[in-house]
């Protein structure tokens, strides 16, 4: 899906203000699929590990057996939340129910849930919600609203239910809506429901679910993947960068693992910390949020590489927080040396490629009283305005080898430079 200005025009019934300011979210894909992690009966399945039930056409009766082995003894909700906080994430979105239909919380609606069907017997969502509340972290739930391979009347399972005449509304009434109600009434404030794709829902079906969410929590955001231009904020396609700049609530989502959202032992390639940072800058310089995904391991911990790499990013994010949280996108088109975020009266230059001649110029028409400094140290940078360009004289090397942020403060407006922000 290519995002355009019109598609950003979602219904927005909830208060979205916090969302574009938060900038960074941690996405967690956790469920029974973490156990096979891409391997079923000695066969390796490439790509998205959380789709293994479909890829291997696993009958429900067999897939359910995974629950008897699901026992993440190393899971510690406080550790997850404190890690997210340390890495600069302002919200967490966890799979409450993915396409396999398994609830990661105690559900009265279906026995196929973490408390009733596993030896773990603990409500992981409850523990996470409590830890989020304690540490001031917002929490949202991914809920696969149409695809549910455990249910005959939902979308997607064509191997257990062949030639079956579906009654989708029955599934909505008997599982989807009651489970959403549980999520919205038992776990405190829910920041958002991350609906995902699947069936092409009718407008009436999309509206019905958005209204259902708002009936219980009017300020809970709903994602645009509910379909039909509904939802409170725009979420992009999986692993796709934003192409337009916007101040509205919108979000890109990327996996640390190149391919898989759920933990995979088949797909091993991870984005490097440098690549993660570039994704982050490309996203926030368009004004969008970034939802970064980790697929926790069966025992309930994150991969060491994810801990290492997100800590590297987090350290940089914390040092440069002013240029990130509450920022808006860049008023400029592509720049050769890096990316820009902005705030009223300030531009933040995220310099990835240090200029070889140690000079950096940007068009800044008529801003005579602009000042440039390094964000982290506050050290002033010599600058001069000529030919409607602000030219900075930089030291020989970057103070931060990962990415150096330069703050330019100015009076007035920069409306004379090319503007591409959609209001
Ligand atoms: O939750 C994550 C994914 O599981 C979900 N969205 C993100 C956030 C998602 N929905 N759709 N897709 C991903 C596209 C999946 C396509 C594939 Fe396949 C599944 C490729 C391989 C398995 C389609 C079905 C092509 C082969 C089987």
């Amino acid at each position: 899906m290519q995002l355009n200005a019109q598609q950003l025009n979602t219904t927005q019934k909830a208060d979205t203000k916090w969302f574009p300011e938060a900038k960074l979210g941690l996405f967690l894909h956790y469920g029974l699929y973490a156990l096979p992690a891409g391997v079923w009966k000695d066969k390796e399945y490439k790509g998205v590990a959380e789709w293994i039930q479909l890829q291997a056409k696993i009958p429900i009766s067999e897939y359910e057996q995974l629950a008897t082995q699901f026992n993440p003894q190393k899971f510690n909700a406080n550790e997850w939340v404190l890690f997210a906080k340390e890495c600069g994430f302002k919200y967490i979105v966890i799979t409450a129910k993915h396409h396999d239909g398994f609830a990661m919380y105690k559900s009265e609606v279906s026995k196929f849930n973490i408390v009733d069907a596993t030896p773990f017997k603990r409500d992981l969502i409850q523990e996470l919600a409590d830890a989020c509340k304690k540490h001031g972290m917002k929490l949202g739930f991914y809920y696969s609203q149409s695809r549910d391979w455990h249910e005959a009347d939902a979308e997607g399972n064509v191997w257990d239910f062949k030639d079956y005449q579906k009654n989708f509304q029955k599934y909505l009434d008997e599982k989807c809506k009651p489970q959403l109600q549980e999520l919205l009434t038992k776990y405190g404030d829910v920041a958002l429901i991350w609906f995902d794709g699947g069936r092409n829902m009718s407008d009436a079906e999309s509206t019905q679910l958005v209204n259902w969410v708002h009936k219980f929590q009017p300020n809970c955001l709903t994602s645009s993947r509910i379909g039909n231009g509904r939802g409170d904020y725009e979420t992009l396609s999986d692993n796709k960068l934003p192409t337009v700049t916007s101040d509205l609530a919108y979000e890109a989502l990327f996996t640390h693992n190149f391919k898989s959202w759920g933990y995979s032992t088949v797909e091993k390639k991870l984005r490097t910390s440098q690549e993660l940072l570039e994704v982050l800058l490309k996203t926030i310089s368009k004004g969008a949020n970034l939802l970064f995904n980790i697929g926790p391991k069966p025992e309930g911990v994150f991969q060491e590489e994810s801990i290492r790499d997100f800590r590297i990013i987090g350290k940089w994010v914390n040092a440069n927080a002013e240029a990130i949280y509450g920022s808006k996108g860049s008023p400029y088109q592509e720049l050769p040396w890096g990316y820009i975020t902005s705030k009223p009266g300030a531009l933040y230059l995220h310099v990835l490629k240090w200029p070889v001649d140690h000079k950096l110029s940007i068009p800044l028409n008529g801003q005579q009283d602009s000042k440039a400094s390094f964000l982290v140290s506050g050290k002033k940078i010599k600058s001069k305005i000529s030919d409607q360009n602000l030219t900075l004289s930089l030291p020989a090397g970057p103070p931060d080898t990962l990415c150096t942020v330069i703050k330019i403060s100015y009076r007035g407006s920069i409306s004379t430079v090319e503007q591409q922000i959609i209001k």
Side-chain angles (χ1 to χ4, degrees):
M1 183 183 77
Q2 188 72 8
L3 184 104
N4 60 40
Q6 244 164 11
Q7 279 167 307
L8 280 170
N9 192 18
T10 46
T11 39
Q12 292 196 359
K13 292 273 163 51
D15 183 3
T16 58
K17 201 175 150 288
W18 69 270
F19 188 82
E21 290 179 0
K23 283 287 166 292
L24 300 176
L26 176 63
F27 210 177
L28 297 173
H29 272 70
Y30 199 35
L32 300 181
Y33 41 79
L35 286 162
V39 183
W40 192 257
K41 296 190 174 163
D42 297 329
K43 191 169 170 330
E44 295 195 336
Y45 292 87
K46 290 199 170 301
V48 281
E50 70 279 10
W51 278 64
I52 196 149
Q53 192 185 356
L54 176 136
Q55 288 179 305
K57 304 280 180 292
I58 305 169
I60 292 169
S61 56
E62 264 183 66
Y63 191 84
E64 277 180 342
Q65 294 309 308
L66 284 173
T68 65
Q69 301 159 41
F70 191 78
N71 198 3
Q73 284 302 317
K74 292 190 182 159
F75 169 72
N76 180 320
N78 282 311
E79 278 177 16
W80 281 18
V81 175
L82 288 174
F83 170 75
K85 213 170 166 176
E86 177 193 342
C87 298
F89 294 108
K90 299 292 184 191
Y91 60 107
I92 292 176
V93 182
I94 186 161
T95 45
K97 185 199 86 171
H98 203 265
H99 304 331
D100 62 3
F102 181 74
M104 291 294 279
Y105 62 99
K106 164 74 179 160
S107 174
E108 302 299 332
V109 179
S110 162
K111 287 265 173 252
F112 195 42
N113 73 69
I114 194 166
V115 173
D116 294 320
T118 76
F120 187 55
K121 293 192 189 333
R122 282 157 54 189
D123 187 334
L124 183 139
I125 297 285
Q126 180 74 65
E127 291 180 25
L128 197 62
D130 292 345
C132 283
K133 191 163 182 216
K134 183 166 156 197
H135 301 296
M137 177 71 65
K138 285 184 183 285
L139 180 63
F141 300 131
Y142 173 107
Y143 191 88
S144 176
Q145 79 277 15
S146 59
R147 224 180 243 130
D148 186 324
W149 300 322
H150 196 258
E151 309 304 325
D153 288 308
E155 193 61 26
N157 186 336
V158 289
W159 54 98
D160 280 288
F161 311 108
K162 292 193 194 86
D163 307 318
Y164 175 80
Q165 189 64 38
K166 286 184 196 306
N167 181 348
F168 188 65
Q169 187 62 44
K170 183 170 188 286
Y171 153 77
L172 288 183
D173 290 336
E174 293 178 7
K175 184 166 183 185
C176 177
K177 286 165 78 175
Q179 284 203 328
L180 285 169
Q181 181 171 355
E182 290 178 322
L183 288 169
L184 291 158
T185 53
K186 290 168 65 181
Y187 300 98
D189 287 345
V190 179
L192 57 91
I193 298 289
W194 213 98
F195 288 120
D196 201 355
R199 183 181 201 264
N200 283 329
M201 309 237 291
S202 69
D203 189 37
E205 288 163 348
S206 302
T207 310
Q208 181 186 157
L209 290 187
V210 169
N211 290 345
W212 185 251
V213 171
H214 291 160
K215 174 180 143 100
F216 299 105
Q217 295 205 24
N219 272 330
C220 177
L221 305 187
T222 55
S223 74
S224 57
R225 291 201 192 179
I226 193 68
N228 299 293
R230 303 290 167 189
D232 302 292
Y233 74 95
E234 186 68 35
T235 195
L236 292 165
S237 303
D238 298 357
N239 293 309
K240 286 283 178 307
L241 289 166
T243 54
V244 297
T245 305
S246 172
D247 288 352
L248 297 173
Y250 100 107
E251 174 188 76
L253 51 144
F254 276 79
T255 47
H256 188 202
N257 187 302
F258 258 90
K259 291 278 171 66
S260 185
W261 300 83
Y263 176 63
S264 174
T265 53
V266 177
E267 297 290 353
K268 293 197 177 71
K269 202 163 172 252
L270 302 169
R271 283 172 225 279
T272 64
S273 49
Q274 191 69 42
E275 285 166 335
L276 291 174
L277 183 66
E278 288 208 24
V279 165
L280 189 159
L281 293 175
K282 284 177 182 169
T283 302
I284 65 171
S285 64
K286 297 284 189 197
N289 280 13
L290 180 59
L291 191 56
F292 257 147
N293 179 76
I294 291 177
K297 292 164 76 168
E299 59 267 37
V301 293
F302 302 153
Q303 258 177 285
E304 276 165 27
E305 296 91 329
S306 293
I307 294 175
R308 179 195 65 202
D309 293 348
F310 282 107
R311 278 206 171 123
I312 293 172
I313 301 302
K315 197 168 164 227
W316 180 88
V317 164
N318 286 323
N320 294 285
E322 183 189 323
I324 297 160
Y325 306 113
S327 72
K328 294 192 190 306
S330 171
Y332 298 87
Q333 299 284 3
E334 304 302 301
L335 296 154
W337 41 260
Y339 301 90
I340 288 184
T341 53
S342 66
K343 282 187 179 173
L347 293 174
Y348 300 93
L349 282 48
H350 303 253
V351 187
L352 284 174
K353 290 185 206 116
W354 204 249
V356 278
D357 61 356
H358 316 144
K359 296 264 183 266
L360 194 152
S361 294
I362 59 159
L364 201 68
N365 301 10
Q367 299 299 329
Q368 302 301 338
D369 50 0
S370 57
K371 281 189 300 232
S373 60
F374 289 110
L375 181 64
V376 171
S377 66
K379 225 175 134 211
K380 292 218 159 48
I381 299 171
K382 249 174 71 186
S383 63
K384 80 172 195 286
I385 285 258
S386 64
D387 299 332
Q388 318 244 307
N389 266 313
L390 178 74
T391 303
L392 309 178
S393 303
L394 301 176
D400 186 336
T401 49
L402 192 58
C403 175
T404 300
V405 180
I406 294 169
K407 178 179 181 179
I408 296 176
S409 312
Y410 61 90
R411 284 217 213 133
S413 75
I414 47 165
S415 56
T416 44
V417 299
E418 40 182 329
Q419 289 272 313
Q420 52 152 359
I421 292 187
I422 306 162
K423 292 280 174 187

